Amino acid sequence: MWQGLQHITNYQQKPPPLTNSRSTLPDELNEFYARFETLNSIQQKVTVPTEGGGQQLFVTAAEVRQVLRRINSGKAAGPDNIPGRVLKACSSELADVFMDIFNLSLAQESVPRCFKSTIIVPLPKKTPVSSLNDYRPIALTPIIMKCFEKIVMSHIKKCIPPNLDPYQYAYRQNRSTDDAVNAAVHTILTHLEGRDTYIRMLFIDYSSAFNTVIPQRLCDKLLLLGLTPSLCSWVLSFLTDRPQSVRIGM
C-alpha cells in the first residue's frame, strides 16, 4: 500500500542534498521551492467563462481604509520595501488610490505581477542542516497585496454555501483542531461500544500541501461552490505566474 501511495504522490524519501557552497545556496533553494510550479505553468489561459459571470466584486474606499488601518506595523515589508507603518499612517490618503487599483484588477480579472512577487527567507528547522528540506521557507509578500487578499477573502467567505462537508474543520469559522479530535474520539468510542469491534485509522500528512494545489482545479471547485466566473478567473491569476527569489543572510 505504501509503495502505491509513494508512486501516486511521487514521494521521495531522500530530500535533495545540500551543497557546502554558500554562493549557490540561494539558487538551489529557489529551484527547490519552485519545483511545484512546473505543473501549474501548464495552464496558459483562464478556462472558466468570463462572460455573463454574475455581479462583479466592487471594493469600496471604506473597506480599503479599514483594512489599511488594521495593518500590523511590526510586519516585515515585502519586495516593494514599503513598510506597513507607512500604509497604516496614510490610510485615509491612500484609500481612494488603492480602491481604484483593486477594482481595476478585479475588472480585468488579473493581479499585477508586482503584487505577486515574493522574497523567501529560509530559516533552519534544525541544526546542523543536511538537506534543502531542513530549511523552512518564510515568504515575504507586499503588504498592500495582503490587504487586498483580506478584502477578497471576506467576500469569498460570504459566497461559500453553508452545506460544506461537516467534517471539514480547517479554515472554518468557530472550528478548530480540537473539534476534529473530539469528533474522531466520539466516533471511535461509539463504535467500540459494540462487541468484537476494533478501529483502524490512517493518518496522512501531505508534504507542502498548499504548494501542491493545482490552481485550475481549485477554481473549478470554487465555481461549483457558487463563486462568479469573474472572481474565479481573478483567483486563478492570483495563484499563477508568481515570481520569487530567495534571500539569505538578512
Side-chain angles (χ1 to χ4, degrees), residues 9 35-36 39-40 206-215 217:
T9 60
R35 65 192 186 279
F36 301 103
L39 293 176
N40 295 340
Y206 291 95
S207 178
S208 302
F210 283 102
N211 292 330
T212 55
V213 172
I214 301 177
R217 294 184 182 178

Side-chain angles (χ1 to χ4, degrees), residues 96-117:
D96 290 332
V97 176
F98 283 118
M99 178 194 69
D100 292 338
I101 295 175
F102 292 169
N103 285 325
L104 184 61
S105 171
L106 291 168
Q108 295 182 352
E109 303 171 3
S110 176
V111 180
R113 203 164 186 265
C114 61
F115 277 12
K116 298 187 289 185
S117 60

